[in-house]
Amino acid sequence: MCINFTPPTHRQLLDHFGLDAAGLTWKPDTWQDYPAPIITAGGLLLASYGFIPKPHLPPGVRLTTMNARAESIGEKPTYKGAWRKGQLCLVPMQAFFEPCYESGKAVRIRISMASGEPFAVAGIWRAWEEEGGGVSHAFTQITVNADDHPLMKRMHKPDDEKRSLVIVPPAQYPAWLACTEPELARTFLTPFPAELMIASDAPLPRKT
């Protein structure tokens, strides 16, 4: 489960994804309820990380919605509406972070592309009506089982199920964003080749 990632810079969004984010701002590290850029079929949006932002949770309820399991995304009440409507998105980033326990304690690992280029993972998004008539947006990232993935199976505690974000190859960006059939969308949800990824130790940044 990914709970933290590094979003792209404005220049990376323009150079790598062809999107101008002038006027939008986000922090250099993204955590739950932080705004980050996402790419939808309609263009670029600034959205909150977590499908149900904290202000929209019922009083006293705590729920983490930063990741949605590919196996149940079409059945879970939280996600099924957006999934069945084809509200797919790409979450661009420079890297994401996972804990590795191979040393006997949690070591924060930065996972990125071996090429050094930014990349994008599969997600879904939705709109929220705000008090006063405004509209905000939120997103979640989609994960798949990674028990057999050479890199991602090393992450998390030894007894935990291994999961990985779905990294979408650039050639598939248009088809993923245009997909409106849930069963067809599932065919995109596969592990990314480990040889194209790189992992390195990363200190924990201070939240801002």
Side-chain angles (χ1 to χ4, degrees):
M1 180 177 77
C2 174
I3 62 169
N4 169 223
F5 66 92
T6 301
T9 64
H10 285 69
R11 173 55 63 181
Q12 287 173 329
L13 266 178
L14 185 61
D15 291 348
H16 193 78
F17 298 96
L19 295 169
D20 187 351
L24 301 180
T25 60
W26 54 88
K27 295 181 182 295
D29 282 284
T30 302
W31 302 84
Q32 184 174 5
D33 293 319
Y34 282 30
I38 63 170
I39 304 167
T40 72
L44 188 67
L45 291 176
L46 196 63
S48 180
Y49 184 26
F51 211 62
I52 306 179
K54 191 177 298 183
H56 291 278
L57 287 171
V61 173
R62 298 182 65 183
L63 184 64
T64 298
T65 55
M66 290 175 285
N67 299 271
R69 296 170 63 93
E71 298 88 342
S72 58
I73 195 170
E75 290 73 44
K76 289 287 186 180
T78 299
Y79 307 116
K80 67 180 181 181
W83 174 254
R84 294 176 183 178
K85 292 176 184 176
Q87 292 177 198
L88 309 181
C89 68
L90 292 166
V91 185
M93 61 183 67
Q94 301 179 55
F96 62 94
F97 301 88
E98 301 284 7
C100 178
Y101 285 79
E102 291 176 340
S103 67
K105 61 180 181 180
V107 175
R108 186 171 184 260
I109 300 295
R110 182 183 191 269
I111 299 169
S112 59
M113 294 294 97
S115 66
E117 295 181 341
F119 58 101
V121 305
I124 57 173
W125 68 278
R126 64 159 294 173
W128 287 95
E129 293 185 4
E130 302 292 348
E131 292 185 10
V135 175
S136 65
H137 301 92
F139 70 96
T140 188
Q141 300 167 339
I142 302 174
T143 69
V144 291
N145 179 272
D147 286 343
D148 297 321
H149 193 272
L151 173 59
M152 298 307 298
K153 70 179 183 181
R154 297 173 48 204
M155 304 301 133
H156 295 279
K157 294 180 179 179
D159 294 333
D160 288 350
E161 180 194 1
K162 309 307 178 182
R163 306 291 299 178
S164 176
L165 296 179
V166 176
I167 298 173
V168 181
Q172 295 182 3
Y173 290 171
W176 168 254
L177 293 176
C179 186
T180 57
E181 293 292 332
E183 290 310 309
L184 180 58
R186 286 189 184 278
T187 65
F188 290 84
L189 306 181
T190 59
F192 195 73
E195 62 270 20
L196 300 180
M197 304 165 70
I198 191 169
S200 57
D201 291 4
L204 186 66
R206 179 180 297 177
K207 290 187 180 181
T208 58

mmCIF file of all heavy atoms in Angstrom, residues 32 48-54 56-58 61-69 72-87 123-128 138-142:
data_model
loop_
_atom_site.group_PDB
_atom_site.id
_atom_site.type_symbol
_atom_site.label_atom_id
_atom_site.label_comp_id
_atom_site.label_asym_id
_atom_site.label_seq_id
_atom_site.Cartn_x
_atom_site.Cartn_y
_atom_site.Cartn_z
ATOM 1 N N GLN A 32 -1.686 11.698 2.549
ATOM 2 C CA GLN A 32 -3.150 11.675 2.582
ATOM 3 C C GLN A 32 -3.726 13.084 2.738
ATOM 4 O O GLN A 32 -3.261 13.877 3.554
ATOM 5 C CB GLN A 32 -3.642 10.802 3.729
ATOM 6 C CG GLN A 32 -5.158 10.648 3.775
ATOM 7 C CD GLN A 32 -5.602 9.655 4.825
ATOM 8 O OE1 GLN A 32 -4.803 9.136 5.591
ATOM 9 N NE2 GLN A 32 -6.884 9.371 4.875
ATOM 10 N N SER A 48 -7.380 15.779 -4.268
ATOM 11 C CA SER A 48 -6.934 15.358 -2.945
ATOM 12 C C SER A 48 -6.570 13.877 -2.962
ATOM 13 O O SER A 48 -7.300 13.047 -3.522
ATOM 14 C CB SER A 48 -8.050 15.613 -1.924
ATOM 15 O OG SER A 48 -7.658 15.222 -0.627
ATOM 16 N N TYR A 49 -5.455 13.532 -2.323
ATOM 17 C CA TYR A 49 -4.987 12.145 -2.266
ATOM 18 C C TYR A 49 -5.791 11.389 -1.215
ATOM 19 O O TYR A 49 -5.649 11.616 -0.025
ATOM 20 C CB TYR A 49 -3.507 12.133 -1.937
ATOM 21 C CG TYR A 49 -2.835 10.779 -1.927
ATOM 22 C CD1 TYR A 49 -3.321 9.713 -2.665
ATOM 23 C CD2 TYR A 49 -1.675 10.569 -1.178
ATOM 24 C CE1 TYR A 49 -2.686 8.488 -2.665
ATOM 25 C CE2 TYR A 49 -1.027 9.357 -1.171
ATOM 26 C CZ TYR A 49 -1.534 8.314 -1.909
ATOM 27 O OH TYR A 49 -0.885 7.094 -1.898
ATOM 28 N N GLY A 50 -6.622 10.487 -1.660
ATOM 29 C CA GLY A 50 -7.565 9.767 -0.809
ATOM 30 C C GLY A 50 -8.962 9.996 -1.355
ATOM 31 O O GLY A 50 -9.395 11.143 -1.515
ATOM 32 N N PHE A 51 -9.660 8.904 -1.675
ATOM 33 C CA PHE A 51 -10.925 9.016 -2.392
ATOM 34 C C PHE A 51 -12.005 9.726 -1.585
ATOM 35 O O PHE A 51 -12.865 10.403 -2.139
ATOM 36 C CB PHE A 51 -11.403 7.611 -2.785
ATOM 37 C CG PHE A 51 -12.200 7.570 -4.054
ATOM 38 C CD1 PHE A 51 -11.631 7.965 -5.254
ATOM 39 C CD2 PHE A 51 -13.514 7.131 -4.068
ATOM 40 C CE1 PHE A 51 -12.345 7.929 -6.436
ATOM 41 C CE2 PHE A 51 -14.243 7.091 -5.241
ATOM 42 C CZ PHE A 51 -13.654 7.488 -6.426
ATOM 43 N N ILE A 52 -11.974 9.543 -0.270
ATOM 44 C CA ILE A 52 -12.893 10.271 0.604
ATOM 45 C C ILE A 52 -12.062 11.199 1.474
ATOM 46 O O ILE A 52 -11.468 10.774 2.465
ATOM 47 C CB ILE A 52 -13.730 9.334 1.490
ATOM 48 C CG1 ILE A 52 -14.464 8.298 0.639
ATOM 49 C CG2 ILE A 52 -14.734 10.138 2.321
ATOM 50 C CD1 ILE A 52 -15.299 7.308 1.449
ATOM 51 N N PRO A 53 -11.970 12.464 1.128
ATOM 52 C CA PRO A 53 -11.187 13.403 1.935
ATOM 53 C C PRO A 53 -11.731 13.491 3.360
ATOM 54 O O PRO A 53 -12.925 13.296 3.602
ATOM 55 C CB PRO A 53 -11.365 14.731 1.185
ATOM 56 C CG PRO A 53 -11.716 14.335 -0.218
ATOM 57 C CD PRO A 53 -12.537 13.084 -0.074
ATOM 58 N N LYS A 54 -10.856 13.781 4.268
ATOM 59 C CA LYS A 54 -11.228 13.825 5.685
ATOM 60 C C LYS A 54 -12.453 14.690 5.955
ATOM 61 O O LYS A 54 -13.338 14.294 6.731
ATOM 62 C CB LYS A 54 -10.039 14.316 6.520
ATOM 63 C CG LYS A 54 -10.218 14.153 8.021
ATOM 64 C CD LYS A 54 -8.960 14.587 8.768
ATOM 65 C CE LYS A 54 -7.769 13.725 8.397
ATOM 66 N NZ LYS A 54 -6.548 14.095 9.161
ATOM 67 N N HIS A 56 -15.061 14.996 4.353
ATOM 68 C CA HIS A 56 -16.281 14.350 3.884
ATOM 69 C C HIS A 56 -16.574 13.038 4.608
ATOM 70 O O HIS A 56 -17.559 12.355 4.285
ATOM 71 C CB HIS A 56 -16.199 14.116 2.377
ATOM 72 C CG HIS A 56 -16.247 15.378 1.579
ATOM 73 N ND1 HIS A 56 -17.419 16.022 1.257
ATOM 74 C CD2 HIS A 56 -15.251 16.151 1.069
ATOM 75 C CE1 HIS A 56 -17.154 17.110 0.566
ATOM 76 N NE2 HIS A 56 -15.848 17.222 0.435
ATOM 77 N N LEU A 57 -15.751 12.685 5.584
ATOM 78 C CA LEU A 57 -16.032 11.508 6.391
ATOM 79 C C LEU A 57 -17.060 11.837 7.466
ATOM 80 O O LEU A 57 -17.057 12.947 8.014
ATOM 81 C CB LEU A 57 -14.747 11.006 7.054
ATOM 82 C CG LEU A 57 -13.723 10.316 6.160
ATOM 83 C CD1 LEU A 57 -12.427 10.085 6.941
ATOM 84 C CD2 LEU A 57 -14.273 8.996 5.634
ATOM 85 N N PRO A 58 -17.943 10.893 7.797
ATOM 86 C CA PRO A 58 -18.881 11.127 8.894
ATOM 87 C C PRO A 58 -18.126 11.362 10.200
ATOM 88 O O PRO A 58 -17.009 10.849 10.380
ATOM 89 C CB PRO A 58 -19.691 9.823 8.951
ATOM 90 C CG PRO A 58 -19.550 9.222 7.596
ATOM 91 C CD PRO A 58 -18.170 9.593 7.137
ATOM 92 N N VAL A 61 -15.566 8.825 12.129
ATOM 93 C CA VAL A 61 -15.158 7.752 11.226
ATOM 94 C C VAL A 61 -13.751 8.024 10.711
ATOM 95 O O VAL A 61 -13.435 9.124 10.269
ATOM 96 C CB VAL A 61 -16.138 7.617 10.048
ATOM 97 C CG1 VAL A 61 -15.609 6.607 9.031
ATOM 98 C CG2 VAL A 61 -17.508 7.199 10.540
ATOM 99 N N ARG A 62 -12.907 6.989 10.751
ATOM 100 C CA ARG A 62 -11.564 7.070 10.180
ATOM 101 C C ARG A 62 -11.468 6.023 9.075
ATOM 102 O O ARG A 62 -11.743 4.847 9.296
ATOM 103 C CB ARG A 62 -10.503 6.827 11.253
ATOM 104 C CG ARG A 62 -10.523 7.860 12.371
ATOM 105 C CD ARG A 62 -9.419 7.603 13.369
ATOM 106 N NE ARG A 62 -8.093 7.783 12.768
ATOM 107 C CZ ARG A 62 -6.947 7.563 13.417
ATOM 108 N NH1 ARG A 62 -6.965 7.138 14.678
ATOM 109 N NH2 ARG A 62 -5.792 7.747 12.807
ATOM 110 N N LEU A 63 -11.095 6.439 7.896
ATOM 111 C CA LEU A 63 -11.059 5.543 6.744
ATOM 112 C C LEU A 63 -9.921 5.956 5.833
ATOM 113 O O LEU A 63 -9.768 7.134 5.510
ATOM 114 C CB LEU A 63 -12.394 5.603 5.989
ATOM 115 C CG LEU A 63 -12.582 4.657 4.808
ATOM 116 C CD1 LEU A 63 -12.558 3.213 5.271
ATOM 117 C CD2 LEU A 63 -13.903 4.962 4.097
ATOM 118 N N THR A 64 -9.106 4.992 5.439
ATOM 119 C CA THR A 64 -7.997 5.256 4.527
ATOM 120 C C THR A 64 -8.393 4.827 3.122
ATOM 121 O O THR A 64 -8.720 3.659 2.903
ATOM 122 C CB THR A 64 -6.733 4.493 4.966
ATOM 123 O OG1 THR A 64 -6.353 4.948 6.266
ATOM 124 C CG2 THR A 64 -5.600 4.750 3.994
ATOM 125 N N THR A 65 -8.391 5.758 2.198
ATOM 126 C CA THR A 65 -8.837 5.462 0.825
ATOM 127 C C THR A 65 -7.801 5.918 -0.206
ATOM 128 O O THR A 65 -8.144 6.347 -1.295
ATOM 129 C CB THR A 65 -10.195 6.128 0.549
ATOM 130 O OG1 THR A 65 -10.087 7.545 0.825
ATOM 131 C CG2 THR A 65 -11.294 5.522 1.393
ATOM 132 N N MET A 66 -6.541 5.793 0.144
ATOM 133 C CA MET A 66 -5.481 6.196 -0.780
ATOM 134 C C MET A 66 -5.201 5.136 -1.834
ATOM 135 O O MET A 66 -4.603 5.425 -2.872
ATOM 136 C CB MET A 66 -4.202 6.514 -0.007
ATOM 137 C CG MET A 66 -4.292 7.779 0.829
ATOM 138 S SD MET A 66 -2.804 8.051 1.837
ATOM 139 C CE MET A 66 -3.044 6.830 3.132
ATOM 140 N N ASN A 67 -5.598 3.889 -1.544
ATOM 141 C CA ASN A 67 -5.364 2.779 -2.462
ATOM 142 C C ASN A 67 -6.620 1.939 -2.610
ATOM 143 O O ASN A 67 -7.326 1.685 -1.627
ATOM 144 C CB ASN A 67 -4.231 1.884 -1.946
ATOM 145 C CG ASN A 67 -2.914 2.623 -1.809
ATOM 146 O OD1 ASN A 67 -2.131 2.693 -2.740
ATOM 147 N ND2 ASN A 67 -2.675 3.175 -0.630
ATOM 148 N N ALA A 68 -6.896 1.491 -3.817
ATOM 149 C CA ALA A 68 -8.034 0.608 -4.098
ATOM 150 C C ALA A 68 -7.511 -0.679 -4.720
ATOM 151 O O ALA A 68 -6.703 -0.643 -5.656
ATOM 152 C CB ALA A 68 -9.021 1.285 -5.049
ATOM 153 N N ARG A 69 -7.961 -1.802 -4.197
ATOM 154 C CA ARG A 69 -7.521 -3.091 -4.706
ATOM 155 C C ARG A 69 -8.185 -3.381 -6.049
ATOM 156 O O ARG A 69 -9.402 -3.254 -6.192
ATOM 157 C CB ARG A 69 -7.866 -4.204 -3.714
ATOM 158 C CG ARG A 69 -7.137 -4.082 -2.387
ATOM 159 C CD ARG A 69 -7.701 -5.073 -1.381
ATOM 160 N NE ARG A 69 -7.489 -6.442 -1.807
ATOM 161 C CZ ARG A 69 -6.446 -7.188 -1.467
ATOM 162 N NH1 ARG A 69 -5.500 -6.687 -0.688
ATOM 163 N NH2 ARG A 69 -6.325 -8.428 -1.890
ATOM 164 N N SER A 72 -11.219 -5.881 -6.120
ATOM 165 C CA SER A 72 -12.533 -5.555 -5.550
ATOM 166 C C SER A 72 -13.018 -4.153 -5.872
ATOM 167 O O SER A 72 -14.047 -3.719 -5.360
ATOM 168 C CB SER A 72 -12.496 -5.737 -4.027
ATOM 169 O OG SER A 72 -11.490 -4.917 -3.442
ATOM 170 N N ILE A 73 -12.308 -3.443 -6.749
ATOM 171 C CA ILE A 73 -12.647 -2.046 -7.009
ATOM 172 C C ILE A 73 -14.054 -1.884 -7.582
ATOM 173 O O ILE A 73 -14.714 -0.871 -7.353
ATOM 174 C CB ILE A 73 -11.590 -1.403 -7.941
ATOM 175 C CG1 ILE A 73 -11.701 0.114 -7.942
ATOM 176 C CG2 ILE A 73 -11.683 -1.968 -9.357
ATOM 177 C CD1 ILE A 73 -10.557 0.814 -8.644
ATOM 178 N N GLY A 74 -14.532 -2.886 -8.313
ATOM 179 C CA GLY A 74 -15.861 -2.791 -8.912
ATOM 180 C C GLY A 74 -16.991 -3.170 -7.990
ATOM 181 O O GLY A 74 -18.161 -2.998 -8.335
ATOM 182 N N GLU A 75 -16.659 -3.675 -6.778
ATOM 183 C CA GLU A 75 -17.686 -4.106 -5.841
ATOM 184 C C GLU A 75 -17.724 -3.274 -4.559
ATOM 185 O O GLU A 75 -18.773 -3.182 -3.916
ATOM 186 C CB GLU A 75 -17.473 -5.578 -5.455
ATOM 187 C CG GLU A 75 -17.746 -6.575 -6.579
ATOM 188 C CD GLU A 75 -16.674 -6.584 -7.660
ATOM 189 O OE1 GLU A 75 -15.472 -6.570 -7.285
ATOM 190 O OE2 GLU A 75 -17.010 -6.582 -8.859
ATOM 191 N N LYS A 76 -16.610 -2.688 -4.178
ATOM 192 C CA LYS A 76 -16.565 -1.905 -2.950
ATOM 193 C C LYS A 76 -17.442 -0.663 -3.079
ATOM 194 O O LYS A 76 -17.330 0.094 -4.051
ATOM 195 C CB LYS A 76 -15.127 -1.474 -2.645
ATOM 196 C CG LYS A 76 -14.210 -2.606 -2.201
ATOM 197 C CD LYS A 76 -14.533 -3.040 -0.789
ATOM 198 C CE LYS A 76 -13.530 -4.070 -0.292
ATOM 199 N NZ LYS A 76 -13.820 -4.494 1.077
ATOM 200 N N PRO A 77 -18.342 -0.421 -2.124
ATOM 201 C CA PRO A 77 -19.229 0.749 -2.211
ATOM 202 C C PRO A 77 -18.486 2.068 -2.411
ATOM 203 O O PRO A 77 -18.975 2.953 -3.116
ATOM 204 C CB PRO A 77 -19.963 0.725 -0.863
ATOM 205 C CG PRO A 77 -19.950 -0.714 -0.453
ATOM 206 C CD PRO A 77 -18.625 -1.246 -0.934
ATOM 207 N N THR A 78 -17.300 2.180 -1.822
ATOM 208 C CA THR A 78 -16.545 3.432 -1.932
ATOM 209 C C THR A 78 -16.138 3.735 -3.365
ATOM 210 O O THR A 78 -16.148 4.895 -3.791
ATOM 211 C CB THR A 78 -15.289 3.365 -1.047
ATOM 212 O OG1 THR A 78 -15.685 3.182 0.315
ATOM 213 C CG2 THR A 78 -14.462 4.646 -1.167
ATOM 214 N N TYR A 79 -15.799 2.704 -4.130
ATOM 215 C CA TYR A 79 -15.175 2.903 -5.430
ATOM 216 C C TYR A 79 -16.028 2.499 -6.630
ATOM 217 O O TYR A 79 -15.745 2.934 -7.750
ATOM 218 C CB TYR A 79 -13.871 2.106 -5.501
ATOM 219 C CG TYR A 79 -12.912 2.372 -4.378
ATOM 220 C CD1 TYR A 79 -12.561 1.360 -3.476
ATOM 221 C CD2 TYR A 79 -12.348 3.628 -4.194
ATOM 222 C CE1 TYR A 79 -11.673 1.596 -2.439
ATOM 223 C CE2 TYR A 79 -11.463 3.879 -3.154
ATOM 224 C CZ TYR A 79 -11.131 2.860 -2.274
ATOM 225 O OH TYR A 79 -10.261 3.101 -1.250
ATOM 226 N N LYS A 80 -17.022 1.655 -6.422
ATOM 227 C CA LYS A 80 -17.674 1.032 -7.568
ATOM 228 C C LYS A 80 -18.367 2.029 -8.495
ATOM 229 O O LYS A 80 -18.410 1.816 -9.712
ATOM 230 C CB LYS A 80 -18.666 -0.040 -7.111
ATOM 231 C CG LYS A 80 -19.883 0.469 -6.347
ATOM 232 C CD LYS A 80 -20.788 -0.694 -5.952
ATOM 233 C CE LYS A 80 -22.023 -0.222 -5.222
ATOM 234 N NZ LYS A 80 -22.891 -1.373 -4.816
ATOM 235 N N GLY A 81 -18.898 3.115 -7.955
ATOM 236 C CA GLY A 81 -19.569 4.094 -8.806
ATOM 237 C C GLY A 81 -18.626 4.709 -9.820
ATOM 238 O O GLY A 81 -18.898 4.729 -11.022
ATOM 239 N N ALA A 82 -17.478 5.195 -9.346
ATOM 240 C CA ALA A 82 -16.503 5.819 -10.235
ATOM 241 C C ALA A 82 -15.908 4.798 -11.201
ATOM 242 O O ALA A 82 -15.694 5.095 -12.377
ATOM 243 C CB ALA A 82 -15.394 6.480 -9.420
ATOM 244 N N TRP A 83 -15.653 3.592 -10.712
ATOM 245 C CA TRP A 83 -15.085 2.545 -11.561
ATOM 246 C C TRP A 83 -16.038 2.192 -12.692
ATOM 247 O O TRP A 83 -15.638 2.108 -13.852
ATOM 248 C CB TRP A 83 -14.750 1.323 -10.717
ATOM 249 C CG TRP A 83 -14.282 0.131 -11.495
ATOM 250 C CD1 TRP A 83 -14.990 -1.012 -11.750
ATOM 251 C CD2 TRP A 83 -13.009 -0.039 -12.130
ATOM 252 N NE1 TRP A 83 -14.249 -1.887 -12.491
ATOM 253 C CE2 TRP A 83 -13.014 -1.319 -12.740
ATOM 254 C CE3 TRP A 83 -11.866 0.747 -12.237
ATOM 255 C CZ2 TRP A 83 -11.932 -1.820 -13.451
ATOM 256 C CZ3 TRP A 83 -10.782 0.249 -12.944
ATOM 257 C CH2 TRP A 83 -10.815 -1.011 -13.539
ATOM 258 N N ARG A 84 -17.300 1.991 -12.370
ATOM 259 C CA ARG A 84 -18.269 1.578 -13.382
ATOM 260 C C ARG A 84 -18.595 2.708 -14.360
ATOM 261 O O ARG A 84 -19.015 2.458 -15.487
ATOM 262 C CB ARG A 84 -19.536 1.056 -12.702
ATOM 263 C CG ARG A 84 -19.290 -0.230 -11.913
ATOM 264 C CD ARG A 84 -20.517 -0.695 -11.147
ATOM 265 N NE ARG A 84 -20.207 -1.896 -10.358
ATOM 266 C CZ ARG A 84 -21.083 -2.506 -9.558
ATOM 267 N NH1 ARG A 84 -22.323 -2.031 -9.447
ATOM 268 N NH2 ARG A 84 -20.722 -3.582 -8.878
ATOM 269 N N LYS A 85 -18.390 3.949 -13.930
ATOM 270 C CA LYS A 85 -18.608 5.085 -14.821
ATOM 271 C C LYS A 85 -17.380 5.389 -15.680
ATOM 272 O O LYS A 85 -17.415 6.284 -16.525
ATOM 273 C CB LYS A 85 -18.971 6.332 -14.007
ATOM 274 C CG LYS A 85 -20.327 6.260 -13.336
ATOM 275 C CD LYS A 85 -20.544 7.499 -12.473
ATOM 276 C CE LYS A 85 -21.859 7.424 -11.697
ATOM 277 N NZ LYS A 85 -22.015 8.601 -10.786
ATOM 278 N N GLY A 86 -16.297 4.682 -15.452
ATOM 279 C CA GLY A 86 -15.083 4.926 -16.227
ATOM 280 C C GLY A 86 -14.360 6.201 -15.856
ATOM 281 O O GLY A 86 -13.717 6.823 -16.713
ATOM 282 N N GLN A 87 -14.425 6.598 -14.579
ATOM 283 C CA GLN A 87 -13.728 7.801 -14.134
ATOM 284 C C GLN A 87 -12.274 7.454 -13.802
ATOM 285 O O GLN A 87 -11.831 7.539 -12.655
ATOM 286 C CB GLN A 87 -14.458 8.425 -12.949
ATOM 287 C CG GLN A 87 -15.808 8.993 -13.335
ATOM 288 C CD GLN A 87 -16.601 9.550 -12.161
ATOM 289 O OE1 GLN A 87 -17.818 9.726 -12.264
ATOM 290 N NE2 GLN A 87 -15.951 9.828 -11.053
ATOM 291 N N GLY A 123 -5.357 5.151 -11.599
ATOM 292 C CA GLY A 123 -6.213 5.552 -10.495
ATOM 293 C C GLY A 123 -7.628 5.810 -10.962
ATOM 294 O O GLY A 123 -7.940 5.711 -12.156
ATOM 295 N N ILE A 124 -8.495 6.112 -10.012
ATOM 296 C CA ILE A 124 -9.839 6.595 -10.312
ATOM 297 C C ILE A 124 -10.061 7.880 -9.532
ATOM 298 O O ILE A 124 -9.402 8.134 -8.523
ATOM 299 C CB ILE A 124 -10.947 5.558 -9.991
ATOM 300 C CG1 ILE A 124 -10.870 5.127 -8.517
ATOM 301 C CG2 ILE A 124 -10.863 4.363 -10.921
ATOM 302 C CD1 ILE A 124 -12.043 4.238 -8.090
ATOM 303 N N TRP A 125 -10.990 8.693 -10.001
ATOM 304 C CA TRP A 125 -11.230 9.992 -9.380
ATOM 305 C C TRP A 125 -12.726 10.248 -9.249
ATOM 306 O O TRP A 125 -13.542 9.576 -9.867
ATOM 307 C CB TRP A 125 -10.579 11.110 -10.200
ATOM 308 C CG TRP A 125 -11.231 11.319 -11.550
ATOM 309 C CD1 TRP A 125 -11.005 10.595 -12.691
ATOM 310 C CD2 TRP A 125 -12.247 12.278 -11.873
ATOM 311 N NE1 TRP A 125 -11.805 11.052 -13.711
ATOM 312 C CE2 TRP A 125 -12.581 12.082 -13.232
ATOM 313 C CE3 TRP A 125 -12.902 13.273 -11.156
ATOM 314 C CZ2 TRP A 125 -13.540 12.862 -13.883
ATOM 315 C CZ3 TRP A 125 -13.853 14.042 -11.802
ATOM 316 C CH2 TRP A 125 -14.165 13.837 -13.156
ATOM 317 N N ARG A 126 -13.066 11.231 -8.429
ATOM 318 C CA ARG A 126 -14.456 11.654 -8.307
ATOM 319 C C ARG A 126 -14.507 13.122 -7.884
ATOM 320 O O ARG A 126 -13.509 13.692 -7.425
ATOM 321 C CB ARG A 126 -15.210 10.806 -7.289
ATOM 322 C CG ARG A 126 -14.713 10.910 -5.846
ATOM 323 C CD ARG A 126 -15.795 10.475 -4.863
ATOM 324 N NE ARG A 126 -16.918 11.397 -4.887
ATOM 325 C CZ ARG A 126 -18.069 11.189 -4.236
ATOM 326 N NH1 ARG A 126 -18.237 10.076 -3.543
ATOM 327 N NH2 ARG A 126 -19.047 12.071 -4.286
ATOM 328 N N ALA A 127 -15.676 13.701 -8.054
ATOM 329 C CA ALA A 127 -15.913 15.083 -7.636
ATOM 330 C C ALA A 127 -16.682 15.095 -6.319
ATOM 331 O O ALA A 127 -17.479 14.180 -6.041
ATOM 332 C CB ALA A 127 -16.693 15.841 -8.711
ATOM 333 N N TRP A 128 -16.456 16.122 -5.525
ATOM 334 C CA TRP A 128 -17.172 16.333 -4.275
ATOM 335 C C TRP A 128 -17.786 17.728 -4.287
ATOM 336 O O TRP A 128 -17.112 18.702 -4.612
ATOM 337 C CB TRP A 128 -16.221 16.219 -3.076
ATOM 338 C CG TRP A 128 -15.778 14.827 -2.769
ATOM 339 C CD1 TRP A 128 -14.633 14.219 -3.195
ATOM 340 C CD2 TRP A 128 -16.470 13.873 -1.972
ATOM 341 N NE1 TRP A 128 -14.565 12.946 -2.704
ATOM 342 C CE2 TRP A 128 -15.675 12.691 -1.952
ATOM 343 C CE3 TRP A 128 -17.680 13.885 -1.272
ATOM 344 C CZ2 TRP A 128 -16.054 11.547 -1.258
ATOM 345 C CZ3 TRP A 128 -18.061 12.744 -0.572
ATOM 346 C CH2 TRP A 128 -17.256 11.590 -0.571
ATOM 347 N N ALA A 138 -11.035 14.318 -5.853
ATOM 348 C CA ALA A 138 -10.220 13.408 -5.060
ATOM 349 C C ALA A 138 -9.898 12.175 -5.897
ATOM 350 O O ALA A 138 -10.595 11.866 -6.862
ATOM 351 C CB ALA A 138 -10.954 13.016 -3.777
ATOM 352 N N PHE A 139 -8.842 11.456 -5.498
ATOM 353 C CA PHE A 139 -8.438 10.282 -6.269
ATOM 354 C C PHE A 139 -7.887 9.199 -5.361
ATOM 355 O O PHE A 139 -7.494 9.452 -4.210
ATOM 356 C CB PHE A 139 -7.383 10.658 -7.314
ATOM 357 C CG PHE A 139 -6.034 11.017 -6.738
ATOM 358 C CD1 PHE A 139 -5.023 10.065 -6.649
ATOM 359 C CD2 PHE A 139 -5.767 12.306 -6.280
ATOM 360 C CE1 PHE A 139 -3.783 10.386 -6.120
ATOM 361 C CE2 PHE A 139 -4.533 12.639 -5.751
ATOM 362 C CZ PHE A 139 -3.530 11.679 -5.666
ATOM 363 N N THR A 140 -7.866 7.992 -5.888
ATOM 364 C CA THR A 140 -7.185 6.873 -5.252
ATOM 365 C C THR A 140 -6.344 6.164 -6.300
ATOM 366 O O THR A 140 -6.636 6.236 -7.502
ATOM 367 C CB THR A 140 -8.188 5.891 -4.613
ATOM 368 O OG1 THR A 140 -7.484 4.915 -3.831
ATOM 369 C CG2 THR A 140 -9.009 5.153 -5.661
ATOM 370 N N GLN A 141 -5.305 5.490 -5.850
ATOM 371 C CA GLN A 141 -4.446 4.720 -6.735
ATOM 372 C C GLN A 141 -4.874 3.255 -6.700
ATOM 373 O O GLN A 141 -5.355 2.765 -5.670
ATOM 374 C CB GLN A 141 -2.988 4.853 -6.294
ATOM 375 C CG GLN A 141 -2.490 6.283 -6.314
ATOM 376 C CD GLN A 141 -1.164 6.438 -5.590
ATOM 377 O OE1 GLN A 141 -0.790 5.616 -4.765
ATOM 378 N NE2 GLN A 141 -0.452 7.506 -5.894
ATOM 379 N N ILE A 142 -4.681 2.547 -7.792
ATOM 380 C CA ILE A 142 -5.081 1.150 -7.889
ATOM 381 C C ILE A 142 -3.869 0.249 -7.664
ATOM 382 O O ILE A 142 -2.790 0.503 -8.197
ATOM 383 C CB ILE A 142 -5.719 0.860 -9.256
ATOM 384 C CG1 ILE A 142 -6.930 1.783 -9.476
ATOM 385 C CG2 ILE A 142 -6.159 -0.605 -9.348
ATOM 386 C CD1 ILE A 142 -7.548 1.665 -10.862
#
